[in-house]
Amino acid sequence: MNDVPKDRIKVALLGCGVVGSQVVRLLREDAEELAARVGAPVELAGIAVRRPQRHRDVPADLLTTDAAGLVARPDVDVVVELMGGLEPARDLLLDALKAGRSVVSANKALLAEEGEALATAARDSGADLYYEASVAGAIPLLRPIQQSLAGDRIRRVAGIVNGTTNFILSAMESTGAGYADALEEAGRLGYAEADPTADVDGYDAASKAAILASLAFHTRVTASDVHREGIREVTAADIASARSLGCTVKLLAICEQVPGGNGAAGDVVSARVYPAMIPKSHPLASVSGAFNAVFVEADAAGPLMFYGQGAGGPQTASAVLGDLVAAARNKVIGGRGPRDTAYAHLPIQPIGEVRTRYHVNVDVHDRAGVLAAVASVFAEHGVSIATVKQEGGREAADSGPGDDEDHGGGRGTDATLVVVTHEAPDAALRATVDALSGLESVRGVASVLRVEGLGRPVHALGGAQ
C-alpha cells in the first residue's frame, strides 16, 4: 500500500514492443538520475511478453510469458502496461490496482472504455493510476488539465491528436495527391500501420477525445459517446476547395462544455471527431506531418496550446517514464497522486444538436431555377446560406443565396454549387442533404465538410462565426 514508504521500487512491465523497449533502455541508461528524482532505485522486476525469443537484447531472467503471475508478485510496486488491447490488459490492471499496486498505462482504448472501473479500483485501494502517454505521445497534456488547471473552468479542448491522419492530410495539401496515394506514402514512410483502420476511421482519435473530455469536464465519457468520422472520404477536390477559401482540412478532436439545447437546464458535454476546414490563420492549420497539437481554452487561463511529437517509441516512453517517476515517488514517500474527479455527471450532447458551419458541394444540372430550388431546401430546414458559388457548367460565378441568375436557356450541362452555411444544428444539415438528394435537378451531394473556427472568425467564408 502507498502508506508504507519504500526504499526500492520494483516495476513490472507488460509488453516490450516499440515503446516498451524504449522504456527498458531509459530505465537502464538513466538509472542514477531516476533514482535521484524518485528518492530510491527503480528496478525492473520482470517483463511480460508473448514471444521471449524475440527479445534477445533483454536479460532472459527478466522475461516471462506469465503476465498474471508477474503482476501478482508481492515485490512489485508499479505495473507499467504497454501491451495494448482491452483484454487481458483490463483484468491485469484491475488486479494490480486492487492489490494496491500503482499502474502506468498508455492504453488509450482501454482507458476510454474502462476508465471508470480502473479509477474506482485505484481510489478504493489507495493506488495511483497514471496515463499521460495515452494521449498525444510526449506532449505534457493530461497532467496540466488534471492538475495545473484544477482551479480553473475548462470550456474547450480541441486539436490534432492522430499523427497518421495529419500526415496524410498534410501530404494531400502540399502535393495535391488523393487520399489513396497519400495513405500509401504514409505507409511507406512508417507513419501508417498495415491496417490503418484505427487511425483513418477516427477510432484512435475518438478514444483520446473520450479521455480528454472526461478529465476536462469531470464527467465520465467513453469512446462510444464520441461522434466519430474518419478521413477516407476527403478528396483532393475538398483540399483544393479549402485552400481557395483560405482554409485547410484537419481531423479534429473537439470536446466542449456548452449550454444544453432544446430548453435543457444546465450544461452538456460535446465530444466529436471529424475532418473539418479550419482557417489558415488558426495555429492548428500550420501543424503538419505527424505532429500533434491541442488547444485548451479555460475561463481564467485563456487559450493554451500544446504541441509536439504525438507518437513514436522514445517520445511515448518519455511520457511513460514521467508517470513512472511520479508513481514511484509516491511509493517512496507514502503519498498519493491526484484522483480522477467525475463528479459533474453532465449529459452528452447528441451530434444532431451540435452547431457548426458547413461547406457543401452539390452537383447539379445547370439550368434555370436550380439555384432557387437548392436555396429553398436549405431555407426549409432552417439552414442559412452565407455564400454560394457555381463551378463548371456555364461560366463560373459567385452569387448570393437570393440570386437566381441561372443564365436562362437550360442547356442541360452539369455544374457544382459550392454552398457555405452559417451555423446550424447537425441534424438540420443532414436533413437538408437528404432533401437535396431527392431533387430532380440535383445529380448528387458530392461532399460535406464542417467548418470550424475554434473561436476565431472565418472571414474568408462569408462573415464571422
Side-chain angles (χ1 to χ4, degrees):
M1 291 293 184
N2 281 0
D3 57 353
V4 180
K6 294 277 188 175
D7 61 0
R8 186 172 301 274
I9 301 300
K10 289 283 192 175
V11 178
L13 177 61
L14 309 182
C16 195
V18 173
V19 177
S21 61
Q22 292 297 316
V23 169
V24 172
R25 178 183 66 81
L26 291 172
L27 282 172
R28 287 173 171 173
E29 293 180 358
D30 299 336
E32 290 187 11
E33 278 200 61
L34 291 173
R37 295 171 191 174
V38 169
V42 180
E43 301 174 351
L44 281 169
I47 305 171
V49 295
R50 285 185 296 177
R51 302 178 182 87
Q53 66 275 14
R54 293 190 175 183
H55 302 275
R56 295 187 177 89
D57 56 339
V58 178
D61 61 337
L62 287 177
L63 297 173
T64 179
T65 58
D66 183 8
L70 177 61
V71 168
R73 276 177 46 175
D75 61 330
V76 167
D77 302 298
V78 182
V79 175
V80 176
E81 184 270 312
L82 301 173
M83 61 198 308
L86 298 182
E87 293 293 355
R90 174 186 178 276
D91 288 343
L92 291 168
L93 296 193
L94 285 175
D95 288 346
L97 290 167
K98 289 174 181 177
R101 296 175 178 85
S102 294
V103 163
V104 173
S105 177
N107 193 333
K108 53 192 169 287
L110 176 63
L111 288 157
E113 292 296 335
E114 300 290 346
E116 183 173 10
L118 295 171
T120 298
R123 182 188 65 238
D124 291 347
S125 69
D128 285 334
L129 173 63
Y130 288 102
Y131 45 93
E132 181 68 62
S134 66
V135 180
I139 304 172
L141 177 60
L142 303 190
R143 192 171 283 111
I145 290 174
Q146 190 175 34
Q147 298 181 46
S148 303
L149 296 173
D152 210 336
R153 184 184 296 273
I154 296 174
R155 294 297 183 179
R156 178 191 288 141
V157 181
I160 299 162
V161 295
N162 182 270
T164 298
T165 51
N166 200 53
F167 179 89
I168 291 170
L169 293 172
S170 296
M172 293 173 70
E173 167 79 25
S174 62
T175 68
Y179 166 78
D181 289 338
L183 173 60
E184 182 179 355
E185 177 70 1
R188 187 182 69 81
L189 295 175
Y191 292 115
E193 301 285 347
D195 179 2
T197 300
D199 295 318
V200 301
D201 289 341
Y203 290 100
D204 174 85
S207 293
K208 295 170 180 176
I211 294 169
L212 290 169
S214 296
L215 285 179
F217 309 125
H218 309 286
T219 292
R220 190 61 61 190
V221 180
T222 67
S224 60
D225 295 321
V226 180
H227 176 78
R228 174 191 54 79
E229 298 174 26
I231 66 167
R232 291 183 192 266
E233 304 303 317
V234 177
T235 66
D238 292 328
I239 302 292
S241 290
R243 186 186 303 112
S244 71
L245 295 168
C247 292
T248 189
V249 178
K250 298 292 185 182
L251 182 73
L252 299 177
I254 303 174
C255 310
E256 296 177 305
Q257 182 174 334
V258 296
N262 298 327
D267 286 352
V268 297
V269 171
S270 171
R272 56 207 194 262
V273 168
Y274 46 57
M277 293 184 181
I278 58 174
K280 288 192 174 180
S281 60
H282 196 283
L284 286 177
S286 63
V287 178
S288 61
F291 279 79
N292 285 191
V294 177
F295 261 82
V296 178
E297 298 175 37
D299 282 354
L304 306 168
M305 182 172 174
F306 299 82
Y307 169 83
Q309 293 277 9
Q315 292 81 11
T316 306
S318 170
V320 171
L321 263 293
D323 281 350
L324 177 55
V325 166
R329 186 182 290 143
N330 291 337
K331 288 287 185 181
V332 169
I333 66 175
R336 295 178 64 179
R339 308 291 94 186
D340 276 3
T341 54
Y343 63 84
H345 305 294
L346 298 177
I348 306 300
Q349 184 181 44
I351 187 62
E353 296 179 8
V354 173
R355 297 180 63 87
T356 188
R357 306 183 71 185
Y358 300 88
H359 177 278
V360 185
N361 281 354
V362 187
D363 291 335
V364 299
H365 299 294
D366 184 21
R367 57 193 184 212
V370 171
L371 179 55
V374 168
S376 68
V377 171
F378 279 87
E380 287 167 10
H381 292 88
V383 180
S384 174
I385 294 176
T387 64
V388 59
K389 179 179 180 180
Q390 178 178 312
E391 297 177 347
R394 296 176 182 81
E395 185 175 344
D398 282 27
S399 309
D403 182 1
D404 195 25
E405 293 297 327
D406 280 333
H407 310 289
R411 291 179 292 176
T413 55
D414 295 329
T416 297
L417 296 180
V418 180
V419 179
V420 178
T421 75
H422 292 293
E423 276 194 355
D426 187 88
L429 190 281
R430 291 299 164 188
T432 302
V433 170
D434 290 343
L436 287 172
S437 299
L439 287 182
E440 185 274 334
S441 56
V442 172
R443 297 174 56 241
V445 178
S447 69
V448 178
L449 275 176
R450 294 171 178 83
V451 181
E452 291 281 357
L454 300 176
R456 291 187 171 219
V458 191
H459 299 297
L461 298 178
Q465 260 193 336

